[in-house]
Amino acid sequence: TEGSTLVAVGDVACDPADPDFAGGQGRNDRCATAATSALVDALSPTAVLLLGDLQYASGAPDAFARSFDLAWGRHKPKLKPAPGNHEY
């Protein structure tokens, strides 16, 4: 649709037990969950395609909520997920 912006992302959240998680802020080029979601914010997309591997290394509900939801939860109404091998 005219005026729509579609953003595609993958490999977007690391495990909160990862030493580079840093409370969700990430470090340098690792665990850039917050930085990646901020880039999406800047684009103001109509929809966000999630292209798998949404949570490393565990897709367990508690780890998912503490990592993925922390950075990406505000985008939930726009998310169109496709599972990757880390979601199984």
Side-chain angles (χ1 to χ4, degrees):
T1 315
E2 189 175 329
S4 297
T5 302
L6 175 65
V7 173
V9 297
D11 299 343
V12 295
C14 68
D15 194 296
D18 188 307
D20 291 317
F21 181 67
Q25 296 305 304
R27 297 186 203 280
N28 301 322
D29 63 346
R30 302 253 318 123
C31 293
T33 307
T36 306
S37 68
L39 288 172
V40 171
D41 288 341
L43 295 170
S44 300
T46 308
V48 179
L49 298 180
L50 297 172
L51 303 178
D53 296 344
L54 310 179
Q55 169 71 44
Y56 283 105
S58 167
D62 63 322
F64 198 85
R66 289 182 307 169
S67 181
F68 182 88
D69 278 355
L70 178 67
W72 294 92
R74 67 186 174 280
H75 295 291
K76 281 184 181 179
K78 300 175 184 181
L79 300 180
K80 310 298 181 201
N85 63 318
H86 291 277
E87 283 74 52
Y88 292 102

